[in-house]
Amino acid sequence: MSTKKDKFSSRDKLYMEIALKLAKARYGHTGSNPSVGCVIVKNDKIISIGQTSISGRPHAEFNAIKNSTESLNGSKMYVTLEPCSHHGVTPPCTDLIVKSKIAEVIYSVTDIDIRVRNKSFKIFKSKKIKIRKGLLREKIKSFYSTYFFNRKKKLPYVTGKIAISKNNLIYSKLDRKITNTKADKFTHSLRYKNDSLMISYKTLNSDNPKLNCRLNGLKNYSPKRIILDNKLNTNINSFIINTANKSNTIIFYNEASKSQILNFRKRGINLKFSKVDNQGRFDIKILLKKLYKLDCRNLLIEGGDELTNYLLRNKIFNRFYLYESNKKLSKKSEYLHFNSLNLLKQKYKKKIKLKLNLGNNKITLYKN
């Protein structure tokens, strides 16, 4: 069993670092389940690895055990999160670990799920399997901060972003490009790491965005598109509508004619009715609860000034990325200012300038 006197070797740390990298690689793509990494070692040699499957099942431990071509008798398992011990869609990982005759389990963080929390420890102890925990605890606990938030609040973890020009514009009809290609890649990495992406119909109609991940080989991991459109004013010929199906696009609406609703549904849109306030704005907290029930766990919001201002005032963002370019946009035609900069600084006290090689662009992370 584990004690406070447990000491971890440099090799232990190396194996857990590998497990963490495996977990990070699946972040945002494991549905309602946390992304877990697992490494199995025998005679100080890695004999198998596993990570949580896309959509969440099978779990990392199951995959690592099934991936092994050697006997696991007497081996050690390194896993980022406490193995599950409850019967759900699949049998508990603890059963498989016991049957495989693994001699020692080292996990970093205790699961927050009440169906699991500390139960695996008791099971392994009763089966004479050595247990140690806490390896790289702070680092891995930080990685699971979004998962812990999901479980505690029953809400998606919300990330916001917006890009502003040197003259504080977020839109110019004559000069639409704000950030450079290096900053754009960071945006696509955010899209890869979030299972859903929300915008308003105004942004959709103005920019006709694709909202996908365009990093090499990762297009299939693009987030689900969430559109806020009170009266179904979304451009029916936009890219989003033309590439929509019920699994990749949701539009929240409140007021629309039967013909409008039928037209959108014919195009494969998943329409969701939701209440609005007297100013025609959705109650974002109600929407977040609905999205959580639809397995949305990590939500990226790429809003304009109006939506961003509303979300800042209601303290919806868990973290916010502000992109700043040294480029000035044209004011000779239609343009929009970012009027919420001071509000952003007021709401989020912690400000971290990301150390990224972005040339003449920079990104600052705001969070509490």
Side-chain angles (χ1 to χ4, degrees), residues 142 145 157 160 186 318-324 344-345 347-356 358 361-368:
S142 176
S145 60
Y157 188 91
F186 186 81
N318 296 98
R319 60 187 172 199
F320 193 95
Y321 291 96
L322 177 68
Y323 293 56
E324 296 173 88
L344 173 63
K345 293 176 179 178
K347 293 291 183 181
Y348 298 91
K349 304 302 180 185
K350 197 169 183 179
K351 175 176 154 182
I352 304 167
K353 290 186 178 180
L354 302 189
K355 295 179 180 179
L356 300 169
L358 301 177
N361 287 187
K362 64 178 181 179
I363 298 175
T364 304
L365 169 62
Y366 290 85
K367 63 180 184 177
N368 287 325

Side-chain angles (χ1 to χ4, degrees), residues 181-204:
T181 54
K182 291 181 178 180
D184 291 345
K185 284 184 178 180
F186 186 81
T187 293
H188 291 297
S189 73
L190 286 179
R191 290 178 180 179
Y192 169 72
K193 292 175 183 176
N194 286 270
D195 53 55
S196 306
L197 197 169
M198 178 185 286
I199 62 169
S200 70
Y201 80 92
K202 292 180 181 178
T203 297
L204 188 150

Side-chain angles (χ1 to χ4, degrees), residues 3-35:
T3 71
K4 290 182 179 180
K5 294 181 181 180
D6 277 340
K7 291 184 179 179
F8 297 106
S9 69
S10 59
R11 299 293 291 179
D12 288 330
K13 292 175 183 176
L14 172 63
Y15 298 137
M16 191 61 83
E17 287 280 8
I18 295 170
L20 178 57
K21 286 182 179 179
L22 290 167
K24 285 181 175 180
R26 287 282 164 86
Y27 179 86
H29 299 280
T30 56
S32 59
N33 289 331
S35 182

